[in-house]
Each structure stands twice: as C-alpha cells, then as structure tokens.
Amino acid sequence: MNRVVVHDKTFKVFITKDEIRSRVKEMAWEITKKYKDLNPVFVPILNGSFVFAADLVRACNFDSELSFVKIESYKGLSSTGKVDIKFGLDGKIGGRHLIIIEDIVDSGITLMNFIKEVEKLNPASITIASMLLKPEAVQHQIPIDYLGFRIPNAFVIGYGLDYDGLGRTLEDIYQLDEEEK
Ligand code: IMP
Ligand code: MG
C-alpha cells in the first residue's frame, strides 16, 4: 500500500514499519542501558503516542511503571498553539525518574508546556523519547534524549498519528503527497 487517501488528502509511504521496528529496538536498548535499575515511570502522551509507547515499553525489558496523560493541541493539519491537558499524572511522581513518550515534536509547544507542569511535581529526572522531530518547525527547543527520526516539515500520519481522527492504525508512517494537492 504505497498511497492512502484519508478524508480529502493523499498520503504516500515515508517510513516503513520495518524501519520503525529496528529504530524502536535501538532506542529501547539505549534506554535500557541507562534505566534498567531505576524503575522509571513511562509517561506516554495520548492520543498520538499510543502505538509507539506500546512498542517501546515492551522492548524495554526491565521494571518500569506507566502513567498516561492526554494533551490536545492539533485541529486538522496545524497546531492551535493552545495546549489542553485533559488528564494528568496520578500521584507518586515526586522523586521518580520520568520518561515522557511523544509521537512527534513539531513546534514544541505541547512538550514545553507539559514539562513546566511536570516540573512542579518534583520528579528525580525528566527524559524525553519522541518517535519524530520536525527540526524546521521547532519554535521551542526541547531537549529530546531519545529520537527516532528527524523529518521534513510535512504533515505525517500512521503509527499512531492522525489526520482529523483517521490514519492512526496504519502500520507505516505516511507523508502528505504534495503532488496530489
Ligand atoms: P507541537 O505542540 O506543535 O510540538 O505538536 C505536537 C503534537 O501535534 C503532537 O503530539 C501530534 O499529536 C501533533 N502533530 C504534530 N505534527 C503532526 C503531524 O505531522 N501529523 C499528525 N499530528 C501531528
Ligand atoms: Mg501527540
């Protein structure tokens, strides 16, 4: 399946599921080396990171806990600039090592705001793992400790990422097909 149509737009395969799988394994190995004896708390940011988070935490074969948060900032193809934290971390975060899991860092607004909130809970450390980064879109420099891929500033779907609610269950990552615009 080289191209898919979602709502009114056509998308083409950009990163295949095999490329994703091997990169996630490498990231998990790096995380394991550092966190295997620290019982960290993984904090996936819903909805987008649910697929990446499920793969990453299962590839990290050591004691860890999970606490989900839900943050919304996107409508359609662009960020609203406003960040809405829908439900927060459940207690017991003070003194713990947190590994925030994000699908993609675009402007960086979501993570910047979230990190500010999380710092108030006095964790022992905050680490960021993101599957994707759009360096050309970044407005707030976020220290990403574990990064899957740097990608151009084009809209992507699949592997958890959506276009107005659709496309999250695609196994590969697809990019908006500019020729079809
Ligand atoms: P930021 O706040 O601009 O960094 O945007 C981060 C959030 O916007 C991510 O967690 C995604 O949910 C969403 N997002 C950013 N770029 C894309 C994209 O290309 N496709 C789908 N969602 C995106
Ligand atoms: Mg997201």
Side-chain angles (χ1 to χ4, degrees):
M1 221 170 34
N2 247 328
R3 280 183 162 70
V4 290
V5 176
V6 176
H7 294 300
D8 55 336
K9 303 252 183 275
T10 304
F11 295 82
K12 58 180 184 222
V13 171
F14 180 55
I15 306 172
T16 66
K17 58 175 182 272
D18 291 341
E19 291 169 325
I20 297 168
R21 190 179 305 130
S22 61
R23 188 73 192 106
V24 170
K25 261 195 201 154
E26 290 170 358
M27 294 171 81
W29 174 237
E30 291 300 314
I31 292 172
T32 301
K33 278 195 283 186
K34 189 152 173 206
Y35 288 94
K36 63 181 183 333
D37 300 317
L38 296 176
N39 188 15
V41 182
F42 286 103
V43 182
I45 299 181
L46 297 174
N47 294 327
S49 76
F50 79 109
V51 178
F52 173 46
D55 285 348
L56 187 69
V57 301
R58 286 181 297 170
C60 288
N61 199 7
F62 54 82
D63 280 349
S64 67
E65 293 171 37
L66 267 174
S67 184
F68 292 93
V69 296
K70 183 167 164 73
I71 306 180
E72 281 178 3
S73 67
Y74 250 66
K75 287 269 177 301
L77 294 176
S78 60
S79 177
T80 59
K82 278 185 282 169
V83 175
D84 195 2
I85 300 175
K86 294 282 192 188
F87 53 86
L89 291 163
D90 37 24
K92 295 193 244 153
I93 289 304
R96 301 294 300 273
H97 295 279
L98 306 187
I99 303 174
I100 297 173
I101 304 181
E102 181 58 305
D103 49 1
I104 182 166
V105 177
D106 185 19
S107 67
I109 291 169
T110 303
L111 267 185
M112 190 198 61
N113 283 281
F114 183 57
I115 290 167
K116 268 192 217 154
E117 290 304 309
V118 171
E119 278 171 347
K120 293 179 192 161
L121 304 173
N122 294 317
S125 66
I126 301 175
T127 294
I128 312 283
S130 181
M131 189 66 211
L132 302 173
L133 168 70
K134 292 181 187 168
E136 297 154 31
V138 168
Q139 296 169 26
H140 301 276
Q141 292 300 332
I142 305 289
I144 303 177
D145 305 274
Y146 303 97
L147 175 65
F149 302 93
R150 284 183 174 74
I151 63 167
N153 195 5
F155 197 77
V156 288
I157 59 167
Y159 199 62
L161 291 151
D162 72 305
Y163 167 38
D164 264 350
L166 297 182
R168 293 192 194 279
T169 57
L170 295 164
E171 290 187 288
D172 306 287
I173 293 174
Y174 290 72
Q175 189 181 56
L176 187 64
D177 191 350
E178 300 291 340
E179 287 156 36
E180 303 272 333
K181 261 183 170 178

